Amino acid sequence: MGVVNPDAAYQKCVNPDCAAEFDCGQTMFKCPKCGSLLDIWYDWDKIEVPGKLSDFGKRWVNRRNPLDFSGVWRFRELLNFCEDKYKVTIGEGQTILQQNDAVAKYVDMKPGCLYLQYEGLNPSGSFKDNGMAAAFSHAKMVGAESCVCASTGNTSASMALYAHSCRMKSTVFIGSGRIAFGKLSQAMDYDAQTIQIAGDFDDCMRQVQDVCARLGLYLLNSLNPFRLEGQKTIMYRIIEQLGWEVPDWIIVPGGNLGNSSAFGKAFSELKQLGLIKRIPRMAIINATGADTLTELVNNKKLAWNNGKVEQTIIDDYYADLTARDFSPHTCASAIEISRPVNLKKCLRTIDICNGVVRAVTDEEICDAKAIIGKYGLGCEPASAATIAGLKHLRSEGVIEANERVACVLTGHPLKDPNVTVNYHKEKQGKFSNPPIEAPNELNEIIKLID
Ligand SMILES: [Zn+2]
């Protein structure tokens, strides 16, 4: 273990009719030949991958080495695209998989079956740090000096934090009024140049790609295939915390679809390497106010189809969104996205993992969030879509009460305090826990506590 051979990695276009290949030393975020997404591929024969997953656990005794401490880089043979000298870590990936029977009861699962993966415990408070550790390592490898992203919030917070750790200049594009307070405060505090565009996330995403092309900045959105390599490690850590066993289901919120894309790739590679015997199923949960994936997959029957995705279905749907002047709306701002950039890779994941897609209302999201706060460590609204979605899938009988389910809680509860305060203080939901007003008088206060 430990010999890194970065020559074993290369970039490859996901479009099977193109399948162009490029060196990892090149920086581009779409195939220059056909405009499709790029993937990182490995010549596994050239990489010393451990014979079994539990071998990775041996690194823990060596945790004074920052790469062995990192929840991303201690799995480095599985994302082997750069030499150790370029690898960036700020201690990401020290996250917890918590078995939670009280939340299990809320979704009608048997005790011992529901697990919550708290990615909010990362340094910037969201799962994004997994991807940034990997992408900033690539940025260092190619000598980038300035980076940029469009963001609903978590990406900007994470990018800004990693950028100053790497002494890089960072610029964040956010939509006006569409960013949660906690996230915006982080971008500013971590010294990113923050540009607020009069538009929504999809508008920011279009602008940032053009700005990158014009100014040659390093792009850190999940279009960046190196980011998704880092996000694969969330799955490795879930398996690790289950004693190197694979769960029956992974449930993940669906926004720009980078996570689901990365997770499917992770399982496909582990299976190919013989490190797991079976691939878990995956459920991807949209908000009803931003349900492009649900519409395309469940109603318009869009599928991966060995990479030959029917582009006209997507084009027609997006043309309709434009004609209706549609802008997505959900309290779960992290998944308030109607043109997900990783759509095709997510379709591949659905194929790999026999996946399902559902959409849940903001009311269901907020109630689920309150339950995760009441019985667990709490999370941001988008994360709670997983539990709301699981409730649907249980009542439909798609998921059995005794199956082992891991929900990925993507962000920390303090990311979006406004949604939480409104829910409780304004008594907006079934589980509201508002503050009680009391006079400034001892006996009256004591009466209230009794
Ligand atoms: Zn191509």
Side-chain angles (χ1 to χ4, degrees):
M1 242 173 123
V3 179
V4 173
N5 179 5
D7 296 337
Y10 56 99
Q11 308 188 64
K12 186 174 172 184
C13 174
V14 299
N15 171 7
D17 290 333
C18 171
E21 295 180 5
F22 309 94
D23 191 273
C24 282
Q26 286 181 267
T27 306
M28 59 209 158
F29 303 105
K30 282 186 170 176
C31 174
K33 295 196 171 150
C34 76
S36 297
L37 295 168
L38 295 167
D39 260 329
I40 309 306
W41 282 63
Y42 301 97
D43 287 329
W44 294 111
D45 296 344
K46 296 183 187 166
I47 301 170
E48 279 184 59
V49 179
K52 53 187 191 304
L53 279 174
S54 58
D55 289 345
F56 286 108
K58 292 173 188 163
R59 288 212 161 115
W60 193 237
V61 295
N62 220 10
R63 63 186 174 276
R64 287 186 61 201
N65 170 0
L67 295 185
D68 286 338
F69 180 73
S70 166
V72 170
W73 294 119
R74 59 198 166 82
F75 298 101
R76 51 193 172 270
E77 286 80 0
L78 299 173
L79 52 154
N80 190 321
F81 61 81
C82 73
E83 289 175 56
D84 284 357
K85 66 179 178 186
Y86 298 121
K87 289 187 176 112
V88 174
T89 176
I90 57 169
E92 60 287 323
Q94 310 308 320
T95 57
I96 292 174
L97 183 73
Q98 177 196 57
Q99 188 202 306
N100 194 314
D101 289 345
V103 179
K105 197 173 169 199
Y106 175 70
V107 291
D108 191 25
M109 300 275 308
K110 292 227 165 88
C113 292
L114 178 66
Y115 292 81
L116 306 177
Q117 173 71 10
Y118 287 100
E119 288 300 312
L121 299 176
N122 274 293
S124 83
S126 87
F127 75 94
K128 304 278 184 183
D129 294 355
N130 296 287
M132 291 298 168
F136 270 91
S137 302
H138 179 254
K140 248 173 90 173
M141 182 170 113
V142 299
E145 288 171 358
S146 196
C147 60
V148 65
C149 72
S151 181
T152 63
N154 282 329
T155 306
S156 58
S158 182
M159 182 188 79
L161 182 55
Y162 277 84
H164 76 63
S165 310
C166 298
R167 293 182 200 85
M168 278 173 74
K169 191 170 168 282
S170 67
T171 304
V172 169
F173 285 30
I174 57 172
S176 55
R178 305 297 190 86
I179 183 166
F181 241 61
K183 306 176 188 184
L184 177 60
S185 67
Q186 286 180 290
M188 296 186 297
D189 206 34
Y190 297 147
D191 198 32
Q193 179 183 34
T194 305
I195 298 179
Q196 196 156 7
I197 291 173
D200 61 20
F201 175 79
D202 297 313
D203 297 319
C204 291
M205 197 62 233
R206 275 191 292 269
Q207 294 288 1
V208 81
Q209 291 181 61
D210 292 343
V211 168
C212 270
R214 288 273 282 275
L215 301 180
L217 305 178
Y218 190 88
L219 180 67
L220 279 153
N221 277 96
S222 56
L223 265 182
N224 182 325
F226 295 95
R227 250 194 59 191
L228 300 193
E229 290 306 290
Q231 285 166 221
K232 293 192 304 191
T233 64
I234 300 170
M235 296 300 103
Y236 307 154
R237 298 199 300 270
I238 286 177
I239 294 172
E240 178 181 39
Q241 292 171 97
L242 290 173
W244 306 105
E245 285 178 15
V246 174
D248 297 308
W249 284 87
I250 298 287
I251 307 187
V252 60
N256 229 355
L257 305 177
N259 262 340
S260 49
S261 298
F263 299 169
K265 185 171 188 285
F267 288 121
S268 167
E269 288 170 351
L270 291 179
K271 182 86 192 314
Q272 187 196 341
L273 289 166
L275 293 170
I276 57 172
K277 290 198 175 64
R278 63 178 176 86
I279 290 177
R281 295 192 68 186
M282 194 169 304
I284 302 158
I285 314 297
N286 277 157
T288 49
D291 62 350
T292 294
L293 185 70
T294 312
E295 281 293 319
L296 290 177
V297 171
N298 292 357
N299 297 339
K300 304 200 184 295
K301 308 298 172 200
L302 188 70
W304 173 240
N305 195 24
N306 293 316
K308 298 187 185 298
V309 177
E310 267 191 77
Q311 185 64 40
T312 49
I313 296 180
I314 303 170
D315 292 343
D316 290 351
Y317 185 76
Y318 287 176
D320 179 55
L321 292 183
T322 305
R324 286 191 283 134
D325 204 14
F326 177 84
S327 188
H329 266 288
T330 166
C331 69
S333 56
I335 53 173
E336 191 178 56
I337 295 169
S338 62
R339 290 169 175 80
V341 298
N342 288 300
L343 174 62
K344 288 184 183 172
K345 285 184 179 175
C346 174
L347 295 172
R348 180 175 63 188
T349 285
I350 292 170
D351 186 63
I352 292 167
C353 298
N354 188 15
V356 298
V357 182
R358 293 292 182 274
V360 294
T361 65
D362 279 12
E363 189 184 351
E364 291 170 313
I365 288 172
C366 288
D367 285 342
K369 181 182 157 329
I371 290 293
I372 296 163
K374 184 173 179 176
Y375 298 116
L377 308 182
C379 63
E380 70 162 312
S383 310
T386 56
I387 290 297
L390 174 54
K391 208 166 161 59
H392 277 239
L393 293 164
R394 276 293 301 124
S395 63
E396 291 172 31
V398 174
I399 296 181
E400 301 291 336
N402 61 356
E403 288 188 280
R404 197 148 65 157
V405 176
C407 293
V408 181
L409 303 184
T410 44
H412 194 278
L414 291 176
K415 286 281 191 176
D416 196 345
N418 291 36
V419 169
T420 310
V421 171
N422 290 342
Y423 181 89
H424 289 294
K425 203 158 180 247
E426 307 304 326
K427 299 175 202 158
Q428 286 176 349
K430 277 183 273 191
F431 309 105
S432 293
N433 178 28
I436 303 162
E437 288 181 23
N440 189 13
E441 208 175 299
L442 181 63
N443 287 335
E444 292 300 315
I445 294 169
I446 285 173
K447 262 192 236 163
L448 285 171
I449 293 171
D450 280 350

